[in-house]
Amino acid sequence: MAQIQPRNPRRKAVRYGVPVAVAGVAAATVGLVPALASSGDPDLPKVSAEELVAKVAKSDVDHMSGTVKVSTDLGLPSLPGGGGGGGFGGGPHDSGEGAGKDGKDGKGSGGDAAPSKKLSELASGEHTLRFAADGPDKQRVSVMEDAAEYSLIHNGRDLWAYDSGSNAAWHAKAPEDAKGAHGGSAKRWQGGEPDAVTPQKAAKQALKALDKSTSVTVDGTAKIAGRDAYQLVIKPKGAPDSTIESVRIGVDADNGVPLRFTLTPKDGDKPAVDVAYTKVDFGKPAASSFDFTPPKGTEVTEAKPHKSAGGELRGPQGLDGLTRSGLEIVNKSANDWGKVAKLDTGMPGGLGGPESGGKGDADAGKLLDNFTDEVKGDFGTGRVFSTRLVNALMTDDGKVYVGAVTKDGLVKAANQDHSAK
């Protein structure tokens, strides 16, 4: 199989590499469909990995619609008393930033429809989505559940979210002078944009950070959603502590659009993260697909957008956004796939908070033993919360180390950070 080592230094603009980008996507939105329909591997012209990466980068399809299957298996531990993943609609209302339909600030049932809450529910279980896009100004994704539907609609300056189960809506409007990624009215809604759950979004997040620490190959062909596709495989090199085995991207042979994104961790053969089209159409969707008016009686929460330095309307952010706004990479000399970020909470006592020595602390310790592992090192003591992909070490002096690395990798990074002081 052809193998390339991307040489373009501009690829290093995202300094925290593929793992951080992939971890952000995994934590927020995407999953796996284990056995998509396939009618055999198509016979396609040979293509190099470098040519296929360039094809993805140049893909500029503006119009498309289809059905996306999503399922995620991160191996999250079951918390005592936890409801385990609940779907859309119903349930107690959480607080939502913004104003209710009466115009007053505070908590309102419209908060139930906020993208920050609803899209995060895609991080576990299996889901079916319908997606449509008409250029950079119009996208819509609807998450289909047994008893409800959740829709996120971007149309020009407006971003609407609606949960039919609770009859709640959330609305944000970009300022008239806000500039988005494409100029003109704001067109990028960071973390809350409808295309955050598509294979092409996940794939481009991974591909934009390729460098010499990554192996990129073409591994045959496949039929995906009835389309001929090449299979691009990305693997870490020289990163023994990475939890990631590989990232596999199904690339449309005709237009370069990623049709499937699968992330497999080293822990077990079953993928942890994948998102894939089962049906796709590259025709122009009907204009009515992006129209939305809240049904009568809907509780609407109006968000309070603000402009960043770049003038963009900012919404929920992924791990890369958190890194920019407070996390520090502690092992800068490590391979990009082994990077670990640190957040200092300033709260000694770790997960249990300030130690008091009472019975409550003993009970809390027993509870933590059920879903964390106690570790020790030069940094002191702490506990590791583990998934199949992203792990976190919380130390007793209030620091949190997180990355797509093993427990041993986190301990090494914490020790390195301690010795650097």
Side-chain angles (χ1 to χ4, degrees):
M1 295 181 291
Q3 180 168 311
I4 64 168
Q5 307 304 330
R7 298 182 297 275
N8 189 341
R10 289 176 294 179
R11 294 293 187 190
K12 298 185 179 181
V14 182
R15 285 312 313 154
Y16 307 121
V18 174
V20 174
V22 171
V25 174
T29 58
V30 298
L32 161 76
V33 181
L36 293 176
S38 174
S39 59
D41 299 341
D43 185 12
L44 298 174
K46 298 294 183 182
V47 63
S48 71
E50 188 168 17
E51 289 170 338
L52 195 53
V53 169
K55 191 177 186 71
V56 174
K58 292 178 181 177
S59 62
D60 58 355
V61 173
D62 285 334
H63 310 132
M64 66 181 301
S65 59
T67 302
V68 179
K69 285 288 188 178
V70 175
S71 167
T72 309
D73 181 12
L74 298 180
L76 294 169
S78 298
L79 302 183
F88 298 99
H93 297 305
D94 70 338
S95 61
E97 273 193 29
K101 66 180 180 180
D102 58 0
K104 297 180 181 180
D105 293 344
K107 299 180 180 180
S109 62
D112 263 6
S116 58
K117 176 180 184 294
K118 290 300 182 181
L119 291 185
S120 66
E121 293 179 11
L122 297 181
S124 64
E126 297 186 358
H127 303 273
T128 300
L129 293 75
R130 288 202 303 258
F131 176 75
D134 183 5
D137 285 334
K138 296 181 179 181
Q139 300 96 35
R140 179 175 187 139
V141 63
S142 296
V143 185
M144 315 302 296
E145 297 291 338
D146 291 339
E149 176 179 330
Y150 177 78
S151 295
L152 188 60
I153 307 104
H154 171 209
N155 194 337
R157 290 175 52 210
D158 290 291
L159 183 67
W160 280 99
Y162 176 67
D163 183 0
S164 66
S166 59
N167 197 27
W170 175 93
H171 178 238
K173 196 174 188 70
E176 290 187 12
D177 60 344
K179 301 293 183 181
H182 304 278
S185 297
K187 299 171 184 175
R188 186 172 73 178
W189 310 76
Q190 295 185 358
E193 63 268 36
D195 65 343
V197 292
T198 61
Q200 58 265 42
K201 183 75 170 186
K204 288 188 176 183
Q205 277 291 98
L207 290 174
K208 71 180 182 181
L210 298 182
D211 66 8
K212 65 182 180 181
S213 68
T214 305
S215 165
V216 186
T217 60
V218 179
D219 186 21
T221 64
K223 276 281 189 182
I224 303 174
R227 307 270 306 179
D228 291 350
Y230 293 100
Q231 299 200 74
L232 188 68
V233 178
I234 302 170
K235 291 185 177 182
K237 291 175 58 180
D241 293 325
S242 173
T243 59
I244 298 173
E245 176 66 29
S246 67
V247 173
R248 181 176 291 264
I249 301 170
V251 180
D252 191 290
D254 180 45
N255 55 31
V257 171
L259 299 175
R260 184 176 184 179
F261 174 93
T262 304
L263 188 153
T264 302
K266 292 178 179 176
D267 179 14
D269 296 331
K270 184 179 180 181
V273 175
D274 178 277
V275 57
Y277 285 100
T278 56
K279 296 180 181 179
V280 66
D281 185 337
F282 292 104
K284 186 180 178 72
S288 59
S289 302
F290 311 102
D291 295 336
F292 178 76
T293 301
K296 185 177 180 180
T298 300
E299 184 79 13
V300 178
T301 292
E302 289 290 342
K304 292 181 177 178
H306 68 275
K307 291 189 297 181
S308 67
E312 294 168 354
L313 182 69
R314 301 183 68 86
Q317 298 182 44
L319 183 58
D320 56 341
L322 291 174
T323 303
R324 291 192 299 269
S325 61
L327 295 182
E328 171 193 356
I329 299 299
V330 297
N331 54 347
K332 296 182 175 64
S333 62
N335 180 296
D336 277 351
W337 292 85
K339 288 283 194 283
V340 173
K342 178 185 75 171
L343 175 66
D344 192 344
T345 68
M347 298 174 60
L351 283 173
E355 298 181 6
S356 62
K359 182 179 182 299
D361 288 333
D363 291 341
K366 292 179 180 179
L367 180 63
L368 293 177
D369 287 339
N370 291 328
F371 61 94
T372 64
D373 295 324
E374 186 175 27
V375 294
K376 296 181 180 180
D378 297 339
F379 63 88
T381 60
R383 289 183 177 271
V384 173
F385 180 90
S386 298
T387 74
R388 299 176 66 210
L389 186 62
V390 180
N391 297 319
L393 164 61
M394 292 143 279
T395 67
D396 286 346
D397 63 355
K399 296 179 179 63
V400 179
Y401 298 87
V402 62
V405 300
T406 62
K407 177 172 66 176
D408 289 343
L410 288 176
V411 171
K412 290 178 188 176
N415 285 339
Q416 181 178 332
D417 182 49
H418 177 79
S419 65
K421 295 177 182 178

